């Protein structure tokens, strides 16, 4: 009988670890994640601005990833913001996303933050509600500047 280990979560730091998350992030952001070298540059640039990439592993295979920032804003106060959260589509429904969110909660708690925020697609709001999130009515908006 094969023993299935619980997923282990940790921060990704080396180039090799970050590049290993490329296939997962491509599932979540296919329009933005085109090639590995551009992906690594983008992650490293975001890290300069406080971004951290974390992942869940099962038997040393990366099965989920989350990009986070520890923030303080006037509207939300101190909080952990989840920029990216993805579980491998082949592993959906196995509790891995729930485990990764619990791990993010432990980071927020360790940092003295009482809230986690994220922007959710309508199709994912049910998943987040099951985890105790409240889906708000605000919608992200952007203005694309010409010539940029």
């Amino acid at each position: 009988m094969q023993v299935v280990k619980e997923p282990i979560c940790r921060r990704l730091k080396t180039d090799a670890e970050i590049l290993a998350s490329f296939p997962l992030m491509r599932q979540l952001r296919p329009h933005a994640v085109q090639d590995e070298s551009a992906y690594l540059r983008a992650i490293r640039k975001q890290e300069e601005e406080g971004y951290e990439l974390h992942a869940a592993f099962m038997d040393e295979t990366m099965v989920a990833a989350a990009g986070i920032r520890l923030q303080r804003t006037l509207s939300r106060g101190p909080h952990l913001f989840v920029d990216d959260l993805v579980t491998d589509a082949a592993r959906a429904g196995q509790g891995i996303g729930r485990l990764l969110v619990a791990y993010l909660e432990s980071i927020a708690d360790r940092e003295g933050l009482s809230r986690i925020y994220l922007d959710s697609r309508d199709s994912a709001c049910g998943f987040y509600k099951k985890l105790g999130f409240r889906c708000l009515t605000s919608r992200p908006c952007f203005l694309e500047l010409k010539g940029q």
Side-chain angles (χ1 to χ4, degrees):
M1 180 165 103
Q2 182 181 1
V3 177
V4 177
K5 297 178 185 175
E6 283 291 314
I8 296 171
C9 299
R10 64 178 171 80
R11 185 170 176 189
L12 305 180
K13 294 182 180 179
T14 69
D15 287 356
E17 290 173 333
I18 291 168
L19 287 170
S21 71
F22 176 79
L24 280 172
M25 284 299 181
R26 190 156 168 83
Q27 288 180 35
L28 180 66
R29 310 250 183 254
H31 62 284
V33 180
Q34 299 297 318
D35 69 70
E36 290 180 338
S37 61
Y39 173 68
L40 180 61
R41 284 192 308 275
I43 296 297
R44 292 300 189 200
K45 182 65 177 170
Q46 287 178 211
E47 285 177 334
E48 293 173 13
E49 301 165 353
Y51 183 88
E52 297 178 3
L53 190 56
H54 297 258
F57 295 83
M58 287 186 74
D59 298 319
E60 299 186 31
T61 300
M62 192 180 304
V63 293
I68 65 169
R69 292 177 282 144
L70 308 178
Q71 296 190 312
R72 181 178 303 274
T73 64
L74 289 175
S75 63
R76 296 177 174 171
H79 64 280
L80 184 149
F81 189 85
V82 181
D83 286 281
D84 311 294
L85 180 64
V86 60
T87 299
D88 184 4
R91 304 280 188 142
Q94 296 179 10
I96 298 165
R98 177 181 302 274
L99 178 109
L100 187 54
V101 170
Y103 166 77
L104 298 179
E105 287 178 37
S106 72
I107 293 172
D109 187 55
R110 182 186 72 224
E111 296 294 328
L113 305 173
S114 61
R115 288 191 174 180
I116 296 176
Y117 282 91
L118 52 77
D119 293 330
S120 175
R121 297 175 183 160
D122 288 338
S123 60
C125 214
F127 166 74
Y128 292 118
K129 283 181 179 179
K130 287 179 187 174
L131 299 181
F133 282 81
R134 287 184 288 172
C135 293
L136 305 174
T137 59
S138 65
R139 299 281 188 242
C141 302
F142 73 95
L143 172 64
E144 191 162 336
L145 303 177
K146 299 192 185 325
Q148 298 294 321

